[in-house]
Amino acid sequence: MEPNGSRIAHGGKAVFGARLGILMLEAQFPRIPGDMGNARTWPFPVLYKVVSGASPDRVVRRKAEGLLPDFLEAAAELVRLGADGITTNCGFLSLYQREIAAHVGVPVATSSLMQVPMVQATLPPGRKVGILTISAASMTRAHLEAAGVDPATPVMGTDAGREFSRAIIENEPSMDVAAAEADILEFGARLAASDPAIGAIVLECTNMAPYAAALRTHVGLPVFDIYSFISWFHAGLSPRDFGHPASAPRPWRERGSDA
């Protein structure tokens, strides 16, 4: 480390101030505030990379078949650009968690499902997590196990709803947001009522985050989503500096060790 009081700045990447890289599906449906694909959702800067050919239908219904090389290349590009951690904007990409993490060598959080074990650990004995997903018909044991989730975890989908699942998976250019919220509330309530032991809900779908507060009020249970997960994830990539007296003068750098 340079002498006390040094103001030496260190580089090493192309873009600074955005530690989180987000792999995006190629889609045109509306991304309202609260959706992770809306940059105004985040209280910190992010980097985006759209993966060509990764339609909602292909990723959700067809298990992102044939897209692994594209996601690996896109994740590596984000890291080269400056990202110190990678996430994605579809919970079904848990299937690629191990491969992407191995490829890029930085922390990777592909899916909101990954927080299920953590939320489970916070609950009282006898209580458990329930998962609300955009497509229960497409959610497999493999998706859950790749995220470290017990396959016996209760799962409810919005598949039979009027608006939300159809508009997102069919990649429609407009969406009735009130009807989408009604779907989230209806099937979230069904999930909570399906098992009296459910003590918290995790939203698999990243597009459900705008409705998390309404669902929390509706069912009276804690609700966790991609926003809660990635806010926690980013806090490790960029811990808050509380200033004096804990902080001391040190070189400025975003990547690598101060050693």
Side-chain angles (χ1 to χ4, degrees):
M1 180 176 286
E2 286 82 353
N4 196 33
S6 170
R7 297 178 64 182
I8 301 299
H10 295 269
K13 57 184 185 179
V15 176
F16 292 82
R19 292 184 180 271
L20 179 70
I22 304 178
L23 295 169
M24 297 290 296
L25 304 194
E26 188 173 37
Q28 63 174 350
F29 59 79
R31 295 191 178 278
I32 64 174
D35 187 300
M36 71 185 307
N38 185 318
R40 295 182 64 187
T41 293
W42 304 106
F44 43 78
V46 299
L47 299 171
Y48 287 110
K49 175 64 179 179
V50 175
V51 179
S52 181
S55 69
D57 175 79
R58 188 171 176 182
V59 172
V60 174
R61 292 179 175 153
R62 292 184 277 156
K63 299 183 180 179
E65 60 186 11
L67 288 171
L68 178 57
D70 302 277
F71 276 98
L72 295 181
E73 180 181 352
E77 181 178 338
L78 284 171
V79 172
R80 288 194 298 271
L81 189 61
D84 296 317
I86 298 294
T87 186
T88 83
N89 82 310
C90 182
F92 280 78
L93 288 167
S94 62
L95 291 176
Y96 289 166
Q97 170 65 33
R98 185 181 300 274
E99 290 84 353
I100 295 175
H103 187 69
V104 297
V106 301
V108 173
T110 53
S111 175
S112 179
L113 293 171
M114 294 174 69
Q115 67 190 313
V116 170
M118 181 168 60
V119 174
Q120 181 63 53
T122 71
L123 297 179
R127 304 285 271 178
K128 57 187 174 184
V129 177
I131 296 170
L132 188 65
T133 175
I134 194 170
S135 178
S138 301
M139 180 65 65
T140 68
R141 183 186 185 99
H143 288 98
L144 298 173
E145 290 181 338
V149 179
D150 182 347
T153 302
V155 175
M156 178 73 67
T158 55
D159 317 47
R162 295 179 299 138
E163 183 75 6
F164 180 77
S165 292
R166 188 203 71 255
I168 299 296
I169 297 177
E170 300 300 334
N171 198 19
E172 297 180 359
S174 63
M175 181 172 67
D176 183 332
V177 175
E181 180 184 74
D183 287 345
I184 303 297
L185 299 185
E186 176 184 350
F187 291 96
R190 289 192 189 186
L191 172 63
S194 70
D195 189 333
I198 291 177
I201 293 175
V202 169
L203 306 180
E204 166 276 319
C205 180
T206 65
N207 311 111
M208 291 179 175
Y211 315 103
L215 181 59
R216 168 69 175 92
T217 299
H218 190 61
V219 299
L221 296 173
V223 176
F224 298 87
D225 57 18
I226 193 64
Y227 183 83
S228 63
F229 185 41
I230 296 307
S231 294
W232 168 85
F233 183 64
H234 184 268
L237 302 177
S238 185
R240 179 178 172 183
D241 185 340
F242 290 95
H244 181 80
S247 293
R250 57 184 183 271
W252 183 88
R253 68 178 76 224
E254 280 200 355
R255 175 168 287 175
S257 169
D258 283 344

